[in-house]
Amino acid sequence: MKALQFTAPNAMSVNEIAMPNIADDEVLLASRSVGICHSDIELLEGRYIIPFQYPIIPGHEWSAEVIEVGRKVAKFKAGDRVVGECVIGQEHFGFSISGAMAEFFIAKADWLHKLPDNVSWTQGALVEPFSCGYYATVRADNMDASDTIAVFGAGPIGLGVIAASAAKGGRVIAIEPSEARAKIARTLGAEDVIDPTKGDVKEAVLEATQGAGATVVIDASGRPDAMASTLEVAGFRGRIVIIGISVGGTASAGLGLIQSKELQIRGIIGSPGVWPETIRFLSRTNLDLSKLVTASFDISEADKAYHTVLTDKAQIKIHVTNLGN
Ligand SMILES: [Zn+2]
């Protein structure tokens, strides 16, 4: 079977390797759609946050079909459509243990969730990144149609935040300099998109909210200056959620605003415990996230897909598909 392997820092190839064998509590899966994520690039460059060994098969954003189940697996059967969580205890699926960027792969039954019939393979492979954006809206406490949500950054995670916030009935103001991303933000429900390179973001948000500021502010940009700006654009008792990652980043911020505006600030990591709810939300809202996928490649060209991620910064999410078997 074909698999994309990272074989050394900045070295990868699609190789013919042996089919994996399942243990009693495992499931053999045929990948259907697999997304490429920024953290895959860190793995390719050899600087992932936890230790790993070459060769490694990446791929933690995926949908797949069950081919065979181990003797002790009762919850799944051949033909089931599934997605799976990627942080499993101390291991990271697709990082410290091999992932889904192959024709076939194995996973423990405990990591899997069934995909409803109306959620496509493409949408299924977007559950992992979307669950992070969705979780940000959950941690913003009781988000509803009374909220105005300012979202910094409209990359794959920010677009998920925008889509979930709008689907919950909120009014969304996105802050994003790229015109291509702004366009997708609008189709996913952003009412206004502010270009932070053209004028003052705080003034623009205040103007859009009749001076009140946003009731919810979510940073999905990972930029320290944007994180500092969340304090400025939040209204009185605004709820701020930080999901963007900035290891070691610093910026000067108007810290007095935390007290004077009675702000609530939360940092979040990943999407713990919300996968079943995220999948149900996608299924019941019929939210079309497939607009995030700007290119796709067959598994036999998975290396080309990675090269495209590395060289074409206009891409938002690239998928690798395996629909041939
Ligand atoms: Zn990811």
Side-chain angles (χ1 to χ4, degrees), residues 37 39 60-61 128 317:
C37 171
S39 50
H60 61 279
E61 303 180 359
E128 196 276 334
K317 180 62 75 182

Side-chain angles (χ1 to χ4, degrees), residues 73-92:
V73 177
K75 257 171 68 185
F76 300 97
K77 60 178 190 320
D80 282 348
R81 304 167 72 247
V82 294
V83 292
E85 301 201 31
C86 56
V87 175
I88 306 121
Q90 298 304 306
E91 301 282 12
H92 290 196

Side-chain angles (χ1 to χ4, degrees), residues 4 6 12 33-45 47-49 57-62 86-87 92-95 100-101 125-132 155-158 181 243 245 270 275 292-293 295 302 305-310 313 315-320:
L4 178 80
F6 294 166
M12 65 179 150
S33 208
V34 188
I36 300 177
C37 171
H38 185 70
S39 50
D40 294 330
I41 302 300
E42 287 171 11
L43 186 74
L44 173 62
E45 291 169 350
R47 51 184 184 89
Y48 191 63
I49 47 171
I57 300 170
H60 61 279
E61 303 180 359
W62 55 268
C86 56
V87 175
H92 290 196
F93 183 84
F95 297 99
M101 198 62 82
L126 289 164
V127 167
E128 196 276 334
F130 179 70
S131 68
C132 300
I157 301 295
R181 290 179 174 204
I243 186 171
I245 298 167
W275 275 59
L292 269 69
V293 180
Y306 273 83
H307 285 301
T308 306
V309 171
L310 289 168
K313 296 300 168 202
Q315 301 289 344
I316 292 177
K317 180 62 75 182
I318 293 182
H319 273 189
V320 171

Side-chain angles (χ1 to χ4, degrees), residues 170-207:
R171 176 185 173 212
V172 179
I173 301 171
I175 297 119
E176 168 60 51
S178 151
E179 189 41 50
R181 290 179 174 204
K183 219 170 135 185
I184 297 177
R186 284 193 191 89
T187 67
L188 289 172
E191 189 177 290
D192 300 303
V193 183
I194 295 165
D195 180 345
T197 64
K198 291 183 185 150
D200 189 276
V201 171
K202 178 188 162 193
E203 290 309 318
V205 173
L206 287 179
E207 197 185 306

Side-chain angles (χ1 to χ4, degrees), residues 231-275:
L231 305 178
E232 307 283 340
V233 305
F236 186 68
R237 290 193 182 151
R239 294 109 74 198
I240 297 172
V241 179
I242 306 290
I243 186 171
I245 298 167
S246 171
V247 179
T250 58
S252 67
L255 297 178
L257 296 169
I258 298 169
Q259 182 273 334
S260 64
K261 291 204 254 184
E262 296 191 12
L263 299 176
Q264 167 189 301
I265 304 175
R266 281 193 179 140
I268 61 168
I269 301 174
S271 53
V274 297
W275 275 59

